Amino acid sequence: MKSSAPPADPDRARVRNAWVFLAPTLIALAIVAGWPLARTIWFSFTDARLDDLTRYGFVGLDNYLAYDDGEWYGVLAEADWWNAVSVTLWFTVVSVSLEVVFGLAVALALNVRFPLRGVVRAAILVPWAIPTVVSAKMWAWMLNDQFGVINYVLMGLGIIGTPIAWTASADTALWAVLTVDVWKSTPFMALLFLAALQMLPQDCYEAAKVDGIGPVRALWYITLPLLRPAIITAVIFRALDALRIFDLIYVLTSNARSTMSMSIYARQQLVDFQDVGYGSAASTLLFLIIAMITISVIALGRLDFDKGATR
Amino acid sequence: MTQLLAKIAFMLIVAAILIVALFPFYYAFVSSFRTGTELFIPRLWPERFDLTNYAQIFTQQAFGLNILNSMLVALVVVALSLFLGMTAAYALARIRFRGRGPMLFLILAVSMFPQIAVLSGMFELVRALGLYDRLPGLMLANLVLTLPFTVWILTTFMRELPKELEEAAIADGATPWQTARLVFLPLMLPAMVPTGLLAFILAWNEFLFAFTLTLSSESRTVPVAIALLSGGSRQELPWGPIMAASVVVTLPLIILVLIFQRKIVAGLTAGAVKG
Protein backbone atom coordinates (compact mmCIF):
# COMPACT_ATOMS: atom_id res chain seq x y z
CA MET A 1 0.00 0.00 0.00
CA LYS A 2 2.77 2.40 0.93
CA SER A 3 4.84 1.69 -2.18
CA SER A 4 1.99 2.51 -4.56
CA ALA A 5 0.88 5.69 -2.84
CA PRO A 6 -0.97 8.11 -5.09
CA PRO A 7 -0.43 11.82 -4.47
CA ALA A 8 -1.62 13.67 -1.34
CA ASP A 9 -1.98 11.61 1.84
CA PRO A 10 -3.55 8.30 0.83
CA ASP A 11 -3.99 6.99 4.36
CA ARG A 12 -5.92 9.99 5.54
CA ALA A 13 -8.05 9.93 2.43
CA ARG A 14 -8.74 6.24 3.04
CA VAL A 15 -9.77 6.87 6.62
CA ARG A 16 -12.11 9.62 5.51
CA ASN A 17 -13.55 7.26 2.93
CA ALA A 18 -14.10 4.63 5.59
CA TRP A 19 -16.41 6.99 7.44
CA VAL A 20 -18.21 7.96 4.23
CA PHE A 21 -18.83 4.29 3.50
CA LEU A 22 -19.94 3.61 7.06
CA ALA A 23 -22.21 6.64 7.36
CA PRO A 24 -25.35 5.18 5.71
CA THR A 25 -25.27 2.07 7.91
CA LEU A 26 -24.57 4.10 11.05
CA ILE A 27 -27.44 6.45 10.28
CA ALA A 28 -29.77 3.51 9.59
CA LEU A 29 -28.75 1.79 12.83
CA ALA A 30 -29.22 5.01 14.77
CA ILE A 31 -32.76 5.32 13.39
CA VAL A 32 -33.88 1.71 13.87
CA ALA A 33 -31.90 0.75 16.98
CA GLY A 34 -30.34 3.68 18.84
CA TRP A 35 -33.32 6.02 18.81
CA PRO A 36 -36.03 3.44 19.63
CA LEU A 37 -33.90 2.02 22.44
CA ALA A 38 -33.32 5.49 23.88
CA ARG A 39 -37.06 6.20 23.68
CA THR A 40 -37.91 2.89 25.37
CA ILE A 41 -35.56 3.73 28.22
CA TRP A 42 -37.05 7.22 28.44
CA PHE A 43 -40.62 5.86 28.45
CA SER A 44 -39.69 3.61 31.35
CA PHE A 45 -39.45 6.74 33.50
CA THR A 46 -42.89 7.98 32.43
CA ASP A 47 -46.54 7.01 32.78
CA ALA A 48 -47.04 6.90 28.98
CA ARG A 49 -49.93 4.86 27.62
CA LEU A 50 -50.20 3.21 24.23
CA ASP A 51 -53.35 4.98 23.02
CA ASP A 52 -51.71 8.42 23.17
CA LEU A 53 -47.94 8.49 23.22
CA THR A 54 -47.75 12.29 23.06
CA ARG A 55 -49.15 12.94 26.54
CA TYR A 56 -47.28 11.55 29.49
CA GLY A 57 -45.65 12.67 32.71
CA PHE A 58 -42.28 11.92 34.23
CA VAL A 59 -42.55 9.52 37.16
CA GLY A 60 -38.91 8.81 37.91
CA LEU A 61 -38.20 5.27 39.04
CA ASP A 62 -41.80 4.50 40.02
CA ASN A 63 -42.22 1.93 37.24
CA TYR A 64 -39.21 0.02 38.54
CA LEU A 65 -39.75 0.28 42.28
CA ALA A 66 -41.76 2.62 44.46
CA TYR A 67 -42.79 2.61 48.10
CA ASP A 68 -46.18 3.99 48.90
CA ASP A 69 -48.32 3.65 51.98
CA GLY A 70 -46.47 0.67 53.37
CA GLU A 71 -46.42 -1.24 50.09
CA TRP A 72 -43.91 -1.77 47.31
CA TYR A 73 -44.92 -1.21 43.69
CA GLY A 74 -43.19 -1.43 40.33
CA VAL A 75 -41.82 -4.20 38.15
CA LEU A 76 -39.18 -5.19 40.67
CA ALA A 77 -41.80 -5.68 43.36
CA GLU A 78 -44.02 -7.80 41.14
CA ALA A 79 -44.17 -11.56 41.71
CA ASP A 80 -45.14 -12.07 38.04
CA TRP A 81 -41.96 -10.37 36.88
CA TRP A 82 -39.76 -12.57 39.06
CA ASN A 83 -41.71 -15.58 37.88
CA ALA A 84 -40.93 -14.51 34.30
CA VAL A 85 -37.26 -14.10 35.20
CA SER A 86 -37.02 -17.58 36.69
CA VAL A 87 -38.98 -19.18 33.82
CA THR A 88 -36.67 -17.50 31.29
CA LEU A 89 -33.48 -18.47 33.12
CA TRP A 90 -34.62 -22.07 33.62
CA PHE A 91 -35.63 -22.28 29.98
CA THR A 92 -32.31 -20.80 28.81
CA VAL A 93 -30.13 -23.15 30.87
CA VAL A 94 -32.06 -26.33 30.06
CA SER A 95 -32.70 -25.65 26.38
CA VAL A 96 -29.14 -24.58 25.60
CA SER A 97 -27.67 -27.56 27.48
CA LEU A 98 -29.90 -30.01 25.62
CA GLU A 99 -29.13 -28.33 22.31
CA VAL A 100 -25.38 -28.65 22.90
CA VAL A 101 -25.69 -32.38 23.67
CA PHE A 102 -28.03 -33.17 20.76
CA GLY A 103 -26.18 -30.81 18.45
CA LEU A 104 -22.91 -32.59 19.16
CA ALA A 105 -24.49 -36.00 18.64
CA VAL A 106 -25.99 -34.96 15.30
CA ALA A 107 -22.74 -33.28 14.21
CA LEU A 108 -20.69 -36.39 15.06
CA ALA A 109 -23.11 -38.58 13.09
CA LEU A 110 -23.05 -36.27 10.07
CA ASN A 111 -19.27 -36.08 10.20
CA VAL A 112 -19.13 -39.73 9.17
CA ARG A 113 -19.07 -40.31 5.44
CA PHE A 114 -22.18 -42.13 4.26
CA PRO A 115 -24.35 -42.12 1.14
CA LEU A 116 -26.86 -39.25 0.96
CA ARG A 117 -25.07 -37.29 3.68
CA GLY A 118 -25.76 -34.05 1.80
CA VAL A 119 -29.49 -34.77 1.73
CA VAL A 120 -29.57 -35.45 5.47
CA ARG A 121 -27.66 -32.26 6.17
CA ALA A 122 -30.13 -30.28 4.09
CA ALA A 123 -33.08 -32.00 5.77
CA ILE A 124 -32.02 -31.04 9.27
CA LEU A 125 -31.93 -27.41 8.15
CA VAL A 126 -35.70 -27.53 7.65
CA PRO A 127 -36.71 -27.11 11.34
CA TRP A 128 -34.35 -24.18 11.60
CA ALA A 129 -35.55 -22.43 8.45
CA ILE A 130 -39.31 -22.53 8.89
CA PRO A 131 -40.95 -19.62 10.74
CA THR A 132 -41.18 -20.05 14.50
CA VAL A 133 -44.89 -19.34 14.29
CA VAL A 134 -45.33 -22.24 11.90
CA SER A 135 -43.29 -24.67 14.00
CA ALA A 136 -45.26 -23.58 17.06
CA LYS A 137 -48.56 -24.25 15.25
CA MET A 138 -47.41 -27.61 13.88
CA TRP A 139 -46.36 -28.73 17.34
CA ALA A 140 -49.48 -27.29 18.95
CA TRP A 141 -51.47 -29.54 16.63
CA MET A 142 -49.35 -32.61 17.40
CA LEU A 143 -49.57 -31.84 21.13
CA ASN A 144 -53.33 -31.18 21.04
CA ASP A 145 -54.95 -32.85 24.04
CA GLN A 146 -57.87 -34.49 22.26
CA PHE A 147 -56.77 -34.99 18.68
CA GLY A 148 -52.99 -34.75 18.87
CA VAL A 149 -50.88 -37.48 17.33
CA ILE A 150 -48.48 -37.50 20.28
CA ASN A 151 -51.15 -38.49 22.78
CA TYR A 152 -52.47 -40.99 20.24
CA VAL A 153 -49.10 -42.67 19.80
CA LEU A 154 -48.25 -42.62 23.52
CA MET A 155 -51.62 -44.13 24.38
CA GLY A 156 -51.25 -46.69 21.62
CA LEU A 157 -47.90 -47.73 23.09
CA GLY A 158 -49.47 -47.88 26.54
CA ILE A 159 -47.12 -45.25 27.98
CA ILE A 160 -49.95 -43.01 29.14
CA GLY A 161 -53.49 -43.98 30.06
CA THR A 162 -55.33 -40.73 29.43
CA PRO A 163 -54.59 -37.88 27.03
CA ILE A 164 -52.40 -35.11 28.42
CA ALA A 165 -53.11 -31.42 27.78
CA TRP A 166 -49.45 -30.72 27.05
CA THR A 167 -49.62 -27.00 26.32
CA ALA A 168 -52.49 -26.16 28.65
CA SER A 169 -51.41 -27.76 31.90
CA ALA A 170 -48.94 -25.81 34.00
CA ASP A 171 -46.81 -28.89 34.71
CA THR A 172 -46.12 -29.75 31.09
CA ALA A 173 -46.44 -26.43 29.22
CA LEU A 174 -42.85 -25.33 29.78
CA TRP A 175 -41.61 -28.77 28.73
CA ALA A 176 -43.67 -28.47 25.56
CA VAL A 177 -42.07 -25.10 24.82
CA LEU A 178 -38.67 -26.59 25.55
CA THR A 179 -39.24 -29.54 23.22
CA VAL A 180 -40.19 -27.33 20.30
CA ASP A 181 -37.26 -24.99 20.90
CA VAL A 182 -34.78 -27.87 21.11
CA TRP A 183 -36.27 -29.38 17.94
CA LYS A 184 -35.97 -26.05 16.14
CA SER A 185 -32.54 -24.91 17.33
CA THR A 186 -30.52 -28.14 17.49
CA PRO A 187 -29.85 -28.03 13.73
CA PHE A 188 -28.21 -24.63 14.09
CA MET A 189 -25.91 -26.00 16.80
CA ALA A 190 -25.25 -29.18 14.84
CA LEU A 191 -24.20 -27.28 11.72
CA LEU A 192 -21.86 -24.99 13.64
CA PHE A 193 -20.29 -28.02 15.31
CA LEU A 194 -20.10 -29.91 12.03
CA ALA A 195 -18.24 -27.04 10.40
CA ALA A 196 -15.81 -26.99 13.32
CA LEU A 197 -15.38 -30.79 13.21
CA GLN A 198 -14.47 -30.68 9.56
CA MET A 199 -11.67 -28.24 10.26
CA LEU A 200 -10.01 -30.41 12.95
CA PRO A 201 -6.50 -31.67 12.15
CA GLN A 202 -6.63 -35.36 11.24
CA ASP A 203 -3.11 -36.21 12.42
CA CYS A 204 -4.20 -36.10 16.09
CA TYR A 205 -6.60 -38.95 15.42
CA GLU A 206 -4.03 -40.97 13.56
CA ALA A 207 -1.58 -40.55 16.42
CA ALA A 208 -4.31 -41.57 18.86
CA LYS A 209 -5.03 -44.67 16.79
CA VAL A 210 -1.36 -45.62 16.79
CA ASP A 211 -1.30 -45.19 20.57
CA GLY A 212 -4.32 -47.48 20.84
CA ILE A 213 -6.74 -44.89 22.14
CA GLY A 214 -10.35 -45.85 21.55
CA PRO A 215 -12.97 -43.68 19.89
CA VAL A 216 -14.71 -42.70 23.15
CA ARG A 217 -11.49 -41.46 24.74
CA ALA A 218 -10.51 -39.74 21.50
CA LEU A 219 -13.85 -37.92 21.59
CA TRP A 220 -13.36 -36.88 25.20
CA TYR A 221 -9.66 -35.95 25.09
CA ILE A 222 -9.20 -34.72 21.52
CA THR A 223 -12.45 -33.70 19.85
CA LEU A 224 -14.16 -31.90 22.72
CA PRO A 225 -11.17 -29.74 23.74
CA LEU A 226 -10.59 -28.79 20.11
CA LEU A 227 -14.28 -27.95 19.68
CA ARG A 228 -14.34 -25.72 22.76
CA PRO A 229 -14.27 -22.38 20.90
CA ALA A 230 -17.09 -23.48 18.60
CA ILE A 231 -19.13 -24.73 21.55
CA ILE A 232 -18.66 -21.49 23.50
CA THR A 233 -19.67 -19.40 20.50
CA ALA A 234 -22.77 -21.48 19.86
CA VAL A 235 -23.74 -21.38 23.54
CA ILE A 236 -23.46 -17.58 23.67
CA PHE A 237 -25.55 -17.10 20.55
CA ARG A 238 -28.24 -19.53 21.61
CA ALA A 239 -28.34 -18.31 25.19
CA LEU A 240 -28.95 -14.73 24.08
CA ASP A 241 -31.68 -16.02 21.75
CA ALA A 242 -33.27 -18.03 24.55
CA LEU A 243 -33.23 -15.09 26.97
CA ARG A 244 -35.33 -12.98 24.63
CA ILE A 245 -37.68 -15.77 23.49
CA PHE A 246 -41.07 -14.52 22.43
CA ASP A 247 -42.73 -15.98 19.28
CA LEU A 248 -42.68 -19.62 20.25
CA ILE A 249 -44.16 -19.13 23.71
CA TYR A 250 -46.69 -16.58 22.54
CA VAL A 251 -48.09 -18.85 19.84
CA LEU A 252 -47.89 -22.07 21.84
CA THR A 253 -49.20 -20.99 25.24
CA SER A 254 -50.06 -17.28 24.84
CA ASN A 255 -49.85 -15.33 28.10
CA ALA A 256 -50.02 -18.34 30.45
CA ARG A 257 -48.18 -17.64 33.67
CA SER A 258 -46.34 -20.97 33.81
CA THR A 259 -44.51 -20.23 30.55
CA MET A 260 -44.28 -16.45 30.72
CA SER A 261 -40.85 -15.27 29.59
CA MET A 262 -39.49 -11.78 30.24
CA SER A 263 -40.32 -10.69 26.68
CA ILE A 264 -43.87 -12.03 26.98
CA TYR A 265 -44.34 -10.21 30.29
CA ALA A 266 -43.03 -6.93 28.83
CA ARG A 267 -45.26 -7.13 25.78
CA GLN A 268 -48.32 -7.96 27.83
CA GLN A 269 -47.81 -4.80 29.91
CA LEU A 270 -46.95 -2.75 26.84
CA VAL A 271 -49.66 -3.81 24.40
CA ASP A 272 -52.38 -5.78 26.19
CA PHE A 273 -52.49 -3.50 29.24
CA GLN A 274 -51.47 -0.43 27.16
CA ASP A 275 -49.05 0.58 29.92
CA VAL A 276 -46.05 1.78 27.90
CA GLY A 277 -44.22 3.14 30.95
CA TYR A 278 -44.42 -0.10 32.90
CA GLY A 279 -43.78 -2.32 29.87
CA SER A 280 -40.80 -0.20 28.89
CA ALA A 281 -39.38 -0.60 32.38
CA ALA A 282 -39.59 -4.39 32.01
CA SER A 283 -38.07 -4.19 28.49
CA THR A 284 -35.25 -2.01 29.80
CA LEU A 285 -34.53 -4.53 32.57
CA LEU A 286 -34.36 -7.36 30.04
CA PHE A 287 -32.07 -5.23 27.90
CA LEU A 288 -29.81 -4.60 30.90
CA ILE A 289 -29.67 -8.30 31.79
CA ILE A 290 -28.73 -9.25 28.23
CA ALA A 291 -26.22 -6.40 27.96
CA MET A 292 -24.56 -7.43 31.21
CA ILE A 293 -24.31 -11.06 30.13
CA THR A 294 -22.96 -10.08 26.71
CA ILE A 295 -20.33 -7.75 28.14
CA SER A 296 -19.16 -10.20 30.80
CA VAL A 297 -18.97 -13.05 28.31
CA ILE A 298 -16.97 -10.95 25.91
CA ALA A 299 -14.68 -9.73 28.70
CA LEU A 300 -14.21 -13.25 30.10
CA GLY A 301 -13.68 -14.89 26.74
CA ARG A 302 -11.54 -11.98 25.49
CA LEU A 303 -13.18 -12.26 22.12
CA ASP A 304 -11.22 -10.31 19.58
CA PHE A 305 -13.59 -8.50 17.24
CA ASP A 306 -10.93 -7.10 15.03
CA LYS A 307 -9.11 -10.38 14.56
CA GLY A 308 -8.17 -11.33 11.06
CA ALA A 309 -8.13 -7.74 9.89
CA THR A 310 -4.92 -7.13 8.07
CA ARG A 311 -5.01 -3.77 6.47
CA MET B 1 -20.33 -59.24 11.65
CA THR B 2 -19.81 -56.59 14.33
CA GLN B 3 -18.93 -54.19 11.56
CA LEU B 4 -22.22 -54.88 9.85
CA LEU B 5 -24.09 -54.40 13.14
CA ALA B 6 -22.28 -51.11 13.73
CA LYS B 7 -23.24 -50.00 10.26
CA ILE B 8 -26.88 -50.87 10.83
CA ALA B 9 -26.89 -49.11 14.20
CA PHE B 10 -25.40 -46.02 12.59
CA MET B 11 -27.98 -45.98 9.81
CA LEU B 12 -30.72 -46.29 12.44
CA ILE B 13 -29.33 -43.23 14.22
CA VAL B 14 -29.31 -41.26 10.98
CA ALA B 15 -32.86 -42.42 10.26
CA ALA B 16 -33.93 -41.28 13.74
CA ILE B 17 -32.39 -37.83 13.16
CA LEU B 18 -34.24 -37.54 9.84
CA ILE B 19 -37.56 -38.64 11.33
CA VAL B 20 -37.34 -36.25 14.27
CA ALA B 21 -36.36 -33.36 11.99
CA LEU B 22 -39.03 -33.95 9.36
CA PHE B 23 -41.96 -35.64 11.10
CA PRO B 24 -43.76 -32.44 12.28
CA PHE B 25 -43.71 -31.11 8.77
CA TYR B 26 -44.84 -34.43 7.32
CA TYR B 27 -47.68 -34.60 9.81
CA ALA B 28 -48.76 -31.03 9.01
CA PHE B 29 -48.72 -31.98 5.32
CA VAL B 30 -50.86 -35.07 5.89
CA SER B 31 -53.25 -33.16 8.17
CA SER B 32 -53.67 -30.33 5.71
CA PHE B 33 -55.72 -32.60 3.42
CA ARG B 34 -58.19 -33.62 6.12
CA THR B 35 -61.42 -31.82 6.82
CA GLY B 36 -64.27 -32.07 9.30
CA THR B 37 -64.27 -35.02 11.67
CA GLU B 38 -61.58 -36.77 9.65
CA LEU B 39 -59.13 -34.32 11.16
CA PHE B 40 -59.87 -35.54 14.64
CA ILE B 41 -58.79 -39.12 14.13
CA PRO B 42 -55.00 -39.09 14.30
CA ARG B 43 -53.48 -41.23 11.59
CA LEU B 44 -49.95 -41.31 10.31
CA TRP B 45 -50.76 -41.91 6.65
CA PRO B 46 -52.61 -39.76 4.13
CA GLU B 47 -55.95 -41.11 2.92
CA ARG B 48 -56.69 -38.69 0.11
CA PHE B 49 -55.63 -35.33 -1.22
CA ASP B 50 -58.52 -33.00 -0.51
CA LEU B 51 -57.63 -29.38 -1.25
CA THR B 52 -60.55 -27.78 0.63
CA ASN B 53 -58.33 -26.31 3.34
CA TYR B 54 -56.05 -24.77 0.76
CA ALA B 55 -58.96 -23.25 -1.11
CA GLN B 56 -60.33 -21.92 2.16
CA ILE B 57 -57.24 -19.97 3.24
CA PHE B 58 -57.09 -18.22 -0.09
CA THR B 59 -60.81 -17.46 -0.43
CA GLN B 60 -61.96 -16.84 3.14
CA GLN B 61 -58.76 -15.17 4.31
CA ALA B 62 -56.48 -12.63 2.69
CA PHE B 63 -53.71 -15.22 2.68
CA GLY B 64 -52.60 -14.50 -0.89
CA LEU B 65 -52.22 -10.86 0.04
CA ASN B 66 -50.37 -11.83 3.22
CA ILE B 67 -47.86 -13.82 1.19
CA LEU B 68 -47.40 -10.86 -1.13
CA ASN B 69 -46.85 -8.59 1.90
CA SER B 70 -44.23 -10.93 3.33
CA MET B 71 -42.48 -11.12 -0.05
CA LEU B 72 -42.43 -7.35 -0.44
CA VAL B 73 -41.19 -6.68 3.07
CA ALA B 74 -38.53 -9.38 2.93
CA LEU B 75 -37.24 -8.41 -0.53
CA VAL B 76 -36.94 -4.70 0.31
CA VAL B 77 -35.29 -5.49 3.63
CA VAL B 78 -32.81 -7.83 1.93
CA ALA B 79 -31.97 -5.28 -0.78
CA LEU B 80 -31.44 -2.48 1.74
CA SER B 81 -29.44 -4.67 4.10
CA LEU B 82 -27.18 -5.95 1.34
CA PHE B 83 -26.54 -2.47 -0.04
CA LEU B 84 -25.82 -0.90 3.35
CA GLY B 85 -23.99 -4.01 4.49
CA MET B 86 -21.69 -4.03 1.48
CA THR B 87 -20.64 -0.41 1.86
CA ALA B 88 -20.11 -0.77 5.61
CA ALA B 89 -18.26 -4.07 5.21
CA TYR B 90 -15.90 -2.47 2.71
CA ALA B 91 -14.89 0.16 5.28
CA LEU B 92 -14.75 -2.30 8.18
CA ALA B 93 -12.83 -5.03 6.40
CA ARG B 94 -10.48 -3.14 4.12
CA ILE B 95 -9.57 0.12 5.82
CA ARG B 96 -7.68 0.45 9.07
CA PHE B 97 -8.97 3.41 11.03
CA ARG B 98 -9.30 4.49 14.61
CA GLY B 99 -12.54 3.27 16.15
CA ARG B 100 -12.98 0.23 13.93
CA GLY B 101 -12.89 -2.23 16.82
CA PRO B 102 -15.54 -0.35 18.84
CA MET B 103 -17.61 0.02 15.66
CA LEU B 104 -17.61 -3.75 15.08
CA PHE B 105 -18.49 -4.28 18.73
CA LEU B 106 -21.38 -1.83 18.45
CA ILE B 107 -22.77 -3.59 15.39
CA LEU B 108 -22.51 -6.99 17.05
CA ALA B 109 -24.13 -5.58 20.18
CA VAL B 110 -27.13 -4.38 18.15
CA SER B 111 -27.62 -7.89 16.81
CA MET B 112 -27.90 -9.11 20.39
CA PHE B 113 -30.61 -6.58 21.33
CA PRO B 114 -33.78 -8.11 22.61
CA GLN B 115 -36.41 -7.04 20.07
CA ILE B 116 -38.78 -6.09 22.87
CA ALA B 117 -36.32 -3.42 24.07
CA VAL B 118 -36.87 -1.33 20.96
CA LEU B 119 -40.59 -2.09 20.65
CA SER B 120 -42.13 0.95 22.35
CA GLY B 121 -39.63 3.34 20.76
CA MET B 122 -40.23 1.70 17.38
CA PHE B 123 -43.99 1.95 17.84
CA GLU B 124 -43.70 5.67 18.51
CA LEU B 125 -41.32 6.20 15.57
CA VAL B 126 -43.48 4.27 13.10
CA ARG B 127 -46.58 6.14 14.30
CA ALA B 128 -44.82 9.51 14.00
CA LEU B 129 -43.72 8.71 10.44
CA GLY B 130 -47.29 7.79 9.53
CA LEU B 131 -46.23 4.20 8.81
CA TYR B 132 -48.36 2.38 11.38
CA ASP B 133 -50.25 -0.54 9.83
CA ARG B 134 -48.28 -0.08 6.61
CA LEU B 135 -45.58 -2.23 5.06
CA PRO B 136 -42.82 0.46 4.95
CA GLY B 137 -43.05 0.56 8.75
CA LEU B 138 -42.25 -3.15 8.90
CA MET B 139 -39.41 -2.78 6.42
CA LEU B 140 -37.89 -0.08 8.60
CA ALA B 141 -38.33 -2.12 11.79
CA ASN B 142 -36.90 -5.31 10.30
CA LEU B 143 -33.64 -3.55 9.48
CA VAL B 144 -32.74 -3.74 13.16
CA LEU B 145 -32.69 -7.54 12.78
CA THR B 146 -31.03 -7.95 9.40
CA LEU B 147 -28.59 -5.05 9.10
CA PRO B 148 -26.11 -5.80 11.94
CA PHE B 149 -26.04 -9.42 10.92
CA THR B 150 -25.51 -8.61 7.22
CA VAL B 151 -22.68 -6.19 7.99
CA TRP B 152 -21.07 -8.79 10.24
CA ILE B 153 -21.14 -11.67 7.74
CA LEU B 154 -20.11 -9.54 4.76
CA THR B 155 -17.20 -8.09 6.76
CA THR B 156 -16.02 -11.61 7.58
CA PHE B 157 -16.16 -12.60 3.93
CA MET B 158 -14.55 -9.42 2.67
CA ARG B 159 -11.53 -9.85 4.93
CA GLU B 160 -10.67 -13.05 3.12
CA LEU B 161 -10.20 -11.32 -0.24
CA PRO B 162 -6.59 -10.78 -1.35
CA LYS B 163 -5.35 -7.23 -0.96
CA GLU B 164 -3.30 -7.27 -4.15
CA LEU B 165 -6.41 -6.75 -6.25
CA GLU B 166 -7.32 -3.62 -4.36
CA GLU B 167 -3.78 -2.30 -4.49
CA ALA B 168 -3.70 -2.77 -8.23
CA ALA B 169 -6.94 -0.84 -8.57
CA ILE B 170 -5.64 1.99 -6.41
CA ALA B 171 -2.40 2.07 -8.36
CA ASP B 172 -4.44 2.40 -11.54
CA GLY B 173 -6.07 5.47 -10.03
CA ALA B 174 -9.49 4.03 -9.23
CA THR B 175 -11.59 5.95 -6.74
CA PRO B 176 -12.75 4.08 -3.59
CA TRP B 177 -16.24 3.92 -5.02
CA GLN B 178 -14.93 2.43 -8.26
CA THR B 179 -12.79 -0.03 -6.30
CA ALA B 180 -15.76 -1.12 -4.24
CA ARG B 181 -18.05 -1.44 -7.24
CA LEU B 182 -15.70 -2.89 -9.86
CA VAL B 183 -13.32 -4.97 -7.76
CA PHE B 184 -15.21 -6.04 -4.66
CA LEU B 185 -18.79 -6.30 -5.83
CA PRO B 186 -18.13 -9.10 -8.34
CA LEU B 187 -15.87 -10.93 -5.87
CA MET B 188 -18.48 -10.62 -3.14
CA LEU B 189 -21.39 -12.01 -5.15
CA PRO B 190 -20.83 -15.56 -3.85
CA ALA B 191 -20.98 -14.18 -0.29
CA MET B 192 -24.02 -12.05 -0.97
CA VAL B 193 -26.16 -15.04 -1.94
CA PRO B 194 -26.08 -16.79 1.47
CA THR B 195 -26.16 -13.49 3.36
CA GLY B 196 -29.19 -12.32 1.41
CA LEU B 197 -30.84 -15.68 1.88
CA LEU B 198 -30.34 -15.64 5.65
CA ALA B 199 -31.63 -12.06 5.81
CA PHE B 200 -34.62 -13.12 3.72
CA ILE B 201 -35.41 -15.97 6.12
CA LEU B 202 -35.10 -13.59 9.11
CA ALA B 203 -37.41 -11.00 7.59
CA TRP B 204 -39.87 -13.62 6.29
CA ASN B 205 -40.12 -15.23 9.74
CA GLU B 206 -40.29 -12.06 11.83
CA PHE B 207 -43.30 -11.98 14.15
CA LEU B 208 -43.12 -9.47 17.02
CA PHE B 209 -42.83 -6.28 14.95
CA ALA B 210 -45.27 -7.48 12.31
CA PHE B 211 -47.74 -8.39 15.05
CA THR B 212 -47.45 -5.09 16.92
CA LEU B 213 -47.02 -2.61 14.09
CA THR B 214 -49.94 -3.75 11.93
CA LEU B 215 -53.63 -3.87 12.67
CA SER B 216 -55.66 -4.79 9.59
CA SER B 217 -55.62 -8.24 8.04
CA GLU B 218 -54.67 -6.66 4.68
CA SER B 219 -51.30 -5.49 5.97
CA ARG B 220 -50.42 -8.65 7.90
CA THR B 221 -47.44 -10.74 7.00
CA VAL B 222 -47.62 -14.51 6.81
CA PRO B 223 -46.49 -15.39 10.38
CA VAL B 224 -49.06 -12.99 11.86
CA ALA B 225 -51.77 -14.29 9.56
CA ILE B 226 -51.06 -17.87 10.65
CA ALA B 227 -50.89 -16.95 14.33
CA LEU B 228 -54.27 -15.18 14.08
CA LEU B 229 -56.02 -17.66 11.79
CA SER B 230 -59.33 -18.30 13.46
CA GLY B 231 -62.39 -20.25 12.53
CA GLY B 232 -66.10 -19.69 12.80
CA SER B 233 -66.43 -20.76 16.42
CA ARG B 234 -64.52 -19.40 19.34
CA GLN B 235 -63.70 -22.74 20.93
CA GLU B 236 -62.13 -24.70 18.14
CA LEU B 237 -59.15 -23.60 16.12
CA PRO B 238 -59.37 -24.39 12.40
CA TRP B 239 -56.49 -26.86 12.40
CA GLY B 240 -56.96 -27.96 8.80
CA PRO B 241 -56.55 -24.48 7.30
CA ILE B 242 -53.75 -23.68 9.76
CA MET B 243 -51.83 -26.75 8.60
CA ALA B 244 -52.51 -25.88 4.95
CA ALA B 245 -51.18 -22.36 5.53
CA SER B 246 -48.13 -23.77 7.31
CA VAL B 247 -47.39 -26.03 4.35
CA VAL B 248 -47.80 -23.17 1.85
CA VAL B 249 -45.37 -20.97 3.81
CA THR B 250 -42.85 -23.69 4.46
CA LEU B 251 -42.54 -25.25 1.01
CA PRO B 252 -40.70 -22.31 -0.61
CA LEU B 253 -38.30 -22.19 2.35
CA ILE B 254 -37.62 -25.92 2.10
CA ILE B 255 -36.88 -25.56 -1.59
CA LEU B 256 -34.54 -22.62 -0.94
CA VAL B 257 -32.78 -24.56 1.81
CA LEU B 258 -32.34 -27.64 -0.38
CA ILE B 259 -30.90 -25.60 -3.25
CA PHE B 260 -28.61 -23.41 -1.21
CA GLN B 261 -27.78 -25.63 1.76
CA ARG B 262 -24.02 -25.48 1.29
CA LYS B 263 -24.04 -21.71 1.01
CA ILE B 264 -26.34 -21.33 4.01
CA VAL B 265 -23.98 -23.37 6.15
CA ALA B 266 -21.05 -21.24 4.97
CA GLY B 267 -22.94 -18.07 5.86
CA LEU B 268 -24.01 -19.40 9.26
CA THR B 269 -20.48 -20.34 10.19
CA ALA B 270 -19.05 -17.05 8.97
CA GLY B 271 -21.64 -15.19 11.02
CA ALA B 272 -20.52 -16.80 14.25
CA VAL B 273 -17.66 -15.09 16.01
CA LYS B 274 -14.57 -17.21 15.91
CA GLY B 275 -13.48 -16.74 19.49
Side-chain angles (χ1 to χ4, degrees), chain B residues 1-83:
Chain B
M1 185 62 195
T2 43
Q3 236 183 355
L4 185 70
L5 277 177
K7 213 165 193 173
I8 291 172
F10 178 76
M11 287 328 271
L12 284 177
I13 292 171
V14 172
I17 293 172
L18 266 184
I19 289 171
V20 172
L22 297 180
F23 181 77
F25 184 73
Y26 166 79
Y27 194 67
F29 186 72
V30 174
S31 301
S32 70
F33 299 114
R34 297 183 181 140
T35 52
T37 49
E38 235 178 273
L39 200 55
F40 301 129
I41 310 157
R43 263 169 311 198
L44 298 177
W45 315 110
E47 305 79 31
R48 55 204 178 87
F49 292 95
D50 179 342
L51 293 173
T52 316
N53 292 324
Y54 290 88
Q56 198 187 326
I57 53 171
F58 285 103
T59 52
Q60 293 177 19
Q61 317 259 347
F63 202 64
L65 195 60
N66 299 143
I67 291 178
L68 213 64
N69 289 342
S70 275
M71 276 288 178
L72 257 156
V73 171
L75 287 178
V76 170
V77 169
V78 168
L80 272 173
S81 303
L82 281 182
F83 174 74

Side-chain angles (χ1 to χ4, degrees), chain A residues 14 39 130 183 244 311, chain B residues 20 94 113 124 163 250:
Chain A
R14 268 175 80 78
R39 290 301 286 175
I130 59 182
W183 174 78
R244 56 191 171 184
R311 282 140 293 262
Chain B
V20 172
R94 312 301 299 191
F113 266 24
E124 187 201 26
K163 68 175 175 188
T250 312

